Amino acid sequence: MKKAISPETADAFTDSMNMSAFFEKAAGEFCLPVSRDTIFDCRKITVASDIIRRWYGTVEHKHGKAYLAELTRYLLLCGPKENKELKAEQRDAPRQLSLFAE
């Protein structure tokens, strides 16, 4: 399923540095139920390159270049993975980003 998410959802991770916050907001945009027992399988979630670039840019701006290696480690451990074939897509809002979930 391919879905454009709002910039606010994309920023949910970098605002809290908590990947679950991003997954919960993305699930909300998919109208999927989320409870305390929900488990997100990051191996089955990929995001467009623009989301990854946005995260790196935001983290570098907030924390400096020294934190970028930590972000890379975090993404490798917790996903989601980058899908370079997925293109950013325009929808109703002027700057929405694409999310792809298998």
Side-chain angles (χ1 to χ4, degrees), residues 7-61:
E8 292 78 23
T9 295
D11 291 340
F13 165 62
T14 52
D15 289 345
S16 62
M17 293 309 289
N18 180 343
M19 193 58 71
S20 291
F22 168 71
F23 289 143
E24 287 173 12
K25 284 195 69 105
E29 290 198 27
F30 277 85
C31 297
L32 299 172
V34 176
S35 71
R36 289 175 13 136
D37 299 327
T38 300
I39 298 172
F40 299 103
D41 187 351
C42 63
R43 297 169 300 167
K44 296 187 177 188
I45 300 173
T46 60
V47 296
S49 298
D50 60 334
I51 293 175
I52 299 292
R53 282 193 305 271
R54 182 184 187 98
W55 287 344
Y56 274 95
T58 301
V59 167
E60 182 177 2
H61 178 72

Side-chain angles (χ1 to χ4, degrees), residues 33-97:
V34 176
S35 71
R36 289 175 13 136
D37 299 327
T38 300
I39 298 172
F40 299 103
D41 187 351
C42 63
R43 297 169 300 167
K44 296 187 177 188
I45 300 173
T46 60
V47 296
S49 298
D50 60 334
I51 293 175
I52 299 292
R53 282 193 305 271
R54 182 184 187 98
W55 287 344
Y56 274 95
T58 301
V59 167
E60 182 177 2
H61 178 72
K62 285 183 174 181
H63 304 286
K65 288 188 178 198
Y67 201 80
L68 295 179
E70 183 67 19
L71 173 61
T72 299
R73 186 181 73 78
Y74 193 86
L75 290 174
L76 289 171
L77 290 173
C78 302
K81 304 302 178 231
E82 181 178 11
N83 181 345
K84 291 184 186 247
E85 295 176 6
L86 191 62
K87 304 291 183 211
E89 212 175 67
Q90 289 279 194
R91 296 235 355 216
D92 298 336
R95 288 183 36 204
Q96 287 193 332
L97 308 171

